[in-house]
């Protein structure tokens, strides 16, 4: 698909903060016309810098002729923004999490019909797609489990904790690779500080004898993004967000990995391209509202277990 897949389309972008500005950048690169709802001076400045075609202060001011919407506001405003857009009857692509309360997400799902999809960019990462292809091929034998690590220093969003900020990324990857999400087995409290800032969650599927370990932490310096898939005959890994290849290690064949190059297209760019194609009549983006409820239910199960460990998550 060329860079002009959005040519002629008009997209409404709600929110133009730290992440929304990158959404705007990529929508413009893909050829879309973009009207931006920017409620703060910082957001207005981002909208100007990144090429918004029109800037307004509220959803009510957006044109009725818009083809579809992207919601990239703070998470606590997602539900309100979606409800304001639903009467327009056009597709809505919302950044994760759909809501910061499970009951809110479940209630919204009943109202949203087929209009809402959720932006889980890691499902569009070329490395995750390569690991998914490897699983389906059976090249390394049956899948045994997944190990995913995601750490950084400091809380990055004031309205969500570590469980709602980091965990949905890795649950979306597990869902993409497995086709489902096994039940939560155990949750290990944060070994380096507050449970609000980190933990290890383990999922287990007894029917497949398959385990998933998810290590997320806002109190570990550095930006670690590492994903490993274990098979009967070896291990395959994506070791960094910006890696240009996955690495295959086969049992009994030494320590040198087989390097398999992957596309360098950014995941955000890829998922927005798919959304624009969807507005033209193509297939919908990944991550339905039902997928998101699956992910959020696991997130809140983890939080409940953390609360049982003696600290509110």
């Amino acid at each position: 698909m060329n860079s002009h897949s959005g040519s002629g389309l008009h997209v409404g972008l709600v929110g133009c903060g730290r992440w929304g500005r990158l959404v705007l950048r990529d929508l413009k690169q893909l050829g879309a016309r973009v009207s931006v709802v920017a409620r703060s001076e910082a957001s207005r400045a981002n909208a100007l810098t990144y090429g918004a075609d029109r800037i307004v202060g509220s959803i009510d001011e957006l044109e009725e002729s818009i083809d579809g919407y992207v919601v990239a506001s703070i998470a606590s405003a997602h539900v309100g923004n979606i409800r304001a857009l639903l009467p327009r009857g056009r597709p809505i692509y919302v950044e994760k999490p759909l809501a910061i309360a499970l009951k809110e997400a479940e209630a919204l799902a009943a109202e949203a019909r087929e209009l809402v999809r959720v932006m889980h960019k890691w499902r569009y990462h070329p490395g995750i797609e390569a690991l998914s292809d490897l699983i389906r091929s059976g090249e390394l034998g049956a899948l045994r489990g997944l190990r995913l690590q995601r750490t950084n220093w400091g809380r990055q969003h004031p309205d969500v904790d570590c469980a709602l900020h980091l965990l949905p990324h890795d649950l979306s990857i597990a869902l993409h690779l497995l086709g489902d999400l096994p039940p939560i087995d155990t949750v290990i409290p944060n070994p380096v500080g507050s449970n609000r800032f980190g933990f290890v969650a383990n999922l287990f599927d007894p029917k497949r004898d398959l385990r998933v370990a998810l290590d997320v932490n806002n109190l570990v310096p550095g930006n670690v993004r590492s994903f490993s898939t274990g098979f009967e005959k070896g291990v395959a890994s994506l070791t960094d967000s910006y890696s240009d290849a996955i690495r295959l290690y086969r049992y009994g064949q030494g320590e040198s990995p087989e390097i398999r190059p992957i596309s360098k297209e950014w995941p955000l760019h890829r998922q927005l391209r798919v959304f624009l194609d969807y507005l033209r009549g193509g297939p919908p983006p990944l991550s339905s509202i039902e997928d998101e409820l699956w992910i959020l239910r696991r997130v809140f199960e983890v939080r409940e277990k953390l609360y049982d460990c003696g600290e509110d998550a």
Side-chain angles (χ1 to χ4, degrees):
M1 189 63 62
N2 63 44
S3 62
H4 301 290
S5 64
S7 180
L9 291 172
H10 188 181
V11 176
L13 172 62
V14 181
C16 199
R18 193 167 121 189
W19 188 247
R21 63 182 179 169
L22 303 182
V23 173
L24 174 58
R25 176 201 65 191
D26 285 8
L27 285 171
K28 293 300 298 178
Q29 287 177 356
L30 287 162
R33 179 186 172 207
V34 186
S35 292
V36 176
V37 177
R39 298 182 175 113
S40 70
E41 286 305 313
S43 292
R44 288 184 64 84
N46 286 336
L48 285 168
T49 299
Y50 286 84
D53 294 279
R54 183 169 182 242
I55 304 171
V56 298
S58 70
I59 287 173
D60 289 342
E61 297 174 71
L62 289 172
E63 301 95 316
E64 291 292 335
S65 59
I66 286 174
D67 297 294
Y69 302 90
V70 177
V71 175
S73 61
I74 60 171
S76 56
H78 285 175
V79 171
N81 288 326
I82 291 169
R83 285 207 168 103
L85 291 170
L86 282 175
R88 293 172 174 244
R90 303 302 302 161
I92 301 166
Y93 209 15
V94 59
E95 268 297 338
K96 67 86 190 166
L98 177 65
I100 62 172
L102 182 57
K103 288 184 178 179
E104 271 193 324
E106 291 172 338
L108 184 62
E111 302 170 27
R113 302 179 295 281
E114 297 298 317
L115 292 180
V116 177
R117 312 292 290 192
V118 182
M119 298 176 73
H120 282 287
K121 69 172 184 176
W122 280 94
R123 298 190 73 175
Y124 288 93
H125 194 291
I128 299 303
E129 289 187 352
L131 293 177
S132 178
D133 291 342
L134 191 62
I135 291 169
R136 288 198 302 270
S137 75
E139 179 181 345
L140 292 178
L143 182 68
R144 293 304 189 202
L146 311 175
R147 182 174 185 263
L148 297 88
Q149 296 174 284
R150 185 178 300 273
T151 68
N152 54 255
W153 180 251
R155 186 169 177 171
Q156 298 180 352
H157 301 282
D159 56 340
V160 293
D161 61 9
C162 180
L164 272 168
H165 171 214
L166 296 183
L167 188 56
H169 285 307
D170 291 326
L171 287 171
S172 74
I173 293 170
L175 177 61
H176 193 75
L177 296 180
L178 302 178
D180 61 14
L181 284 176
I184 302 294
D185 184 33
T186 59
V187 179
I188 301 171
N190 193 356
V192 297
S194 168
N195 292 336
R196 290 175 294 177
F197 294 92
F199 49 85
V200 178
N202 294 299
L203 288 64
F204 178 56
D205 182 344
K207 292 183 179 179
R208 291 181 287 184
D209 191 26
L210 188 149
R211 295 185 180 277
V212 179
L214 308 171
D215 180 355
V216 299
N217 212 302
N218 285 139
L219 295 180
V220 177
N223 192 300
V224 175
R225 305 289 187 264
S226 179
F227 318 100
S228 296
T229 50
F231 299 89
E232 288 179 302
K233 301 177 184 178
V235 174
S237 295
L238 174 69
T239 56
D240 187 82
S241 302
Y242 306 109
S243 179
D244 58 1
I246 63 169
R247 288 161 171 76
L248 276 63
Y249 297 81
R250 299 175 189 270
Y251 296 140
Q253 295 189 19
E255 297 181 3
S256 298
E258 176 184 337
I259 308 298
R260 293 196 177 177
I262 57 177
S263 167
K264 295 181 180 179
E265 185 180 7
W266 295 111
L268 175 61
H269 194 272
R270 295 182 80 166
Q271 71 175 358
L272 289 171
R273 173 166 51 82
V274 170
F275 179 64
L276 294 177
D277 290 343
Y278 174 51
L279 297 183
R280 288 190 176 281
L286 299 170
S287 296
S288 65
I289 205 164
E290 290 78 15
D291 288 344
E292 177 70 354
L293 288 179
W294 207 344
I295 289 168
L296 286 177
R297 284 169 182 147
R298 291 291 184 266
V299 168
F300 281 90
E301 287 173 26
V302 167
R303 293 175 100 207
E304 288 175 7
K305 289 180 180 292
L306 286 173
Y307 180 79
D308 291 340
C309 291
E311 182 179 353
D312 189 351

